[in-house]
Amino acid sequence: GQNIDQPTEMTATEGAIVQINCTYQTSGFNGLFWYQQHAGEAPTFLSYNVLDGLEEKGRFSSFLSRSKGYSYLLLKELQMKDSASYLCAVEIWDTDKLIFGTGTRLQVFP
Amino acid sequence: GAVVSQHPSRVICKSGTSVKIECRSLDFQATTMFWYRQFPKQSLMLMATSNEGSKATYEQGVEKDKFLINHASLTLSTLTVTSAHPEDSSFYICSARDLASGSLYNEQFFGPGTRLTVL
């Protein structure tokens, strides 16, 4: 089976840094995506990792360790608009399919 | 570019009726589209992979006779929820990949979703 786990909920303060973890055990791996989703809306792409290491993109960074089956999304200088759900998703090798993690609801407080 | 639309955005129907949801890639061709279902406060669950010109591939536990998928052209896939019941009420989202984008990774572009409520 496919298991992709994330913390269910997190809270943080405006201006702070938050790290959202994702652990996975999947049958084949072709890359890991992070998406942001506001309630009632479609997910929007944040980042992609296929090699080990850190990918930085403005306030958002994503890290991957393939040997550990582990990724995290780092959000810096948090803003109120960052309150949303964050979904990690693993692309399964040779299928084009994305399997989504359980999702993390982040609330940013003033 | 890479815009995916869905129609309708919201639908309310009576139990026992069938509902068709359309997913269109507006500015690119998609040989493969995906259908997801999302219950409140939960993540996206892949239902099926829609392949242009061939049968859809369903995930384990998804009834193919209940969720009919047709991918008749490179820009349109439809999901029909047959004989809908209240437990089918959910947020249905489609996605597509733009194979001609030249992107280094297989980013999926998501439609805005369809909120189905079955009374």
Side-chain angles (χ1 to χ4, degrees):
Chain A
Q2 321 283 19
N3 287 304
I4 305 175
D5 292 316
Q6 300 177 235
T8 306
E9 292 188 353
M10 297 183 73
T11 60
T13 307
E14 200 173 12
I17 299 173
V18 71
Q19 177 175 311
I20 302 174
N21 296 325
C22 171
T23 57
Y24 63 91
Q25 288 179 304
T26 57
S27 56
F29 177 90
N30 199 38
L32 187 143
F33 292 82
W34 282 95
Y35 285 88
Q36 181 191 61
Q37 186 183 28
H38 286 98
E41 298 180 10
T44 55
F45 170 80
L46 290 178
S47 69
Y48 172 75
N49 294 72
V50 65
L51 300 176
D52 287 358
L54 188 68
E55 293 283 340
E56 297 189 74
K57 220 177 182 183
R59 293 191 299 116
F60 293 9
S61 304
S62 57
F63 171 84
L64 175 67
S65 169
R66 294 177 65 148
S67 61
K68 295 182 179 178
Y70 168 69
S71 174
Y72 67 73
L73 179 70
L74 195 70
L75 293 78
K76 302 175 188 174
E77 300 168 20
L78 280 172
Q79 302 174 8
M80 298 296 291
K81 67 178 182 179
D82 297 329
S83 293
S85 288
Y86 292 85
L87 312 174
C88 72
V90 171
E91 185 176 34
I92 305 301
W93 173 258
D94 210 29
T95 69
D96 296 336
K97 294 196 296 190
L98 276 184
I99 304 300
F100 279 82
T102 47
T104 300
R105 285 192 303 280
L106 173 66
Q107 268 195 299
V108 180
F109 292 99
Chain B
V3 177
V4 176
S5 71
Q6 273 184 248
H7 178 80
S9 57
R10 288 179 178 271
V11 58
I12 301 173
C13 69
K14 292 182 180 179
S15 185
T17 59
S18 294
V19 175
K20 180 187 281 189
I21 302 170
E22 292 186 348
C23 176
R24 291 181 186 274
S25 56
L26 296 185
D27 49 3
F28 65 100
Q29 294 184 328
T31 54
T32 304
M33 292 183 173
F34 302 89
W35 287 96
Y36 297 85
R37 181 167 52 183
Q38 186 175 34
F39 292 108
K41 297 189 177 181
Q42 294 187 22
S43 191
L44 276 72
M45 296 294 295
L46 179 65
M47 298 175 67
T49 304
S50 172
N51 305 297
E52 188 268 336
S54 65
K55 291 182 179 180
T57 306
Y58 290 83
E59 294 300 299
Q60 195 171 9
V62 178
E63 300 174 57
K64 62 180 181 181
D65 294 330
K66 179 162 184 67
F67 299 100
L68 301 179
I69 292 173
N70 183 276
H71 194 150
S73 78
L74 287 172
T75 59
L76 173 65
S77 175
T78 60
L79 168 68
T80 301
V81 183
T82 62
S83 187
H85 291 284
E87 58 265 29
D88 299 321
S89 298
S90 188
F91 193 50
Y92 292 87
I93 305 177
C94 70
S95 72
R97 288 172 50 225
D98 180 4
L99 294 176
S101 70
S103 173
L104 294 176
Y105 44 83
N106 297 325
E107 180 185 350
Q108 289 188 19
F109 297 95
F110 287 84
T114 297
R115 174 79 56 195
L116 171 63
T117 303
V118 185
L119 302 176

